[in-house]
Amino acid sequence: QVQLVESGGGLVQAGDSLRLSCTASRRTFRRYAVAWFRQAPGKEREFVAGISWSGSSAYYADSVKGRFTIARDNAKNTVYLQMNSLTPEDTAVYSCAAGNIDYRLGFGATMDEYDYWGQGTQVTVSS
């Protein structure tokens, strides 16, 4: 089993930036596509961004395009989510997930497609 651990969340003001990290316990993580999801109170968990196992393809929800960037460093078993121009609407628990996903086929935006999940890290953006 691949265990994922998120870090980098915190309390920031609108307009600030944060970089989240997702680090895996096994090198097999390098062969999985990885995504970030988020869940705000009273809302369903939603797809934020995903990256292919090679790092060559990245996909974003419309709400974060142009502001967030997903990247990975397979040598470090880590996937990052750089979040810029944060707004209060970005406040949520952010979780990373890994799975055998081929984003080229249009998959990867739903939770049940992923096999492994981290515990989440809280991001709070104040006005």
Side-chain angles (χ1 to χ4, degrees):
Q1 182 177 356
V2 176
Q3 294 184 339
L4 308 177
V5 178
E6 302 95 336
S7 62
L11 174 63
V12 298
Q13 294 183 322
D16 285 353
S17 298
L18 281 174
R19 188 179 74 162
L20 306 182
S21 298
C22 172
T23 300
S25 61
R26 297 285 185 269
R27 287 194 293 270
T28 52
F29 168 82
R30 302 174 184 180
R31 298 184 180 181
Y32 288 94
V34 176
W36 288 93
F37 287 77
R38 67 185 182 186
Q39 186 170 30
K43 299 182 67 176
E44 296 293 321
R45 184 173 294 180
E46 64 176 347
F47 173 84
V48 177
I51 190 167
S52 63
W53 67 268
S54 67
S56 62
S57 300
Y59 301 86
Y60 301 93
D62 289 341
S63 59
V64 305
K65 284 182 179 178
R67 298 189 299 120
F68 291 10
T69 302
I70 189 170
R72 70 190 301 166
D73 186 344
N74 282 344
K76 298 180 179 179
N77 292 336
T78 300
V79 171
Y80 305 96
L81 184 67
Q82 178 68 45
M83 305 185 295
N84 298 327
S85 301
L86 287 164
T87 73
E89 288 69 39
D90 296 315
T91 295
V93 174
Y94 285 72
S95 301
C96 63
N100 186 21
I101 308 297
D102 189 347
Y103 292 112
R104 298 173 300 176
L105 301 179
F107 301 117
T110 58
M111 294 182 295
D112 59 7
E113 298 179 74
Y114 296 86
D115 299 310
Y116 308 104
W117 289 82
Q119 80 288 350
T121 185
Q122 176 71 47
V123 172
T124 302
V125 185
S126 63
S127 300

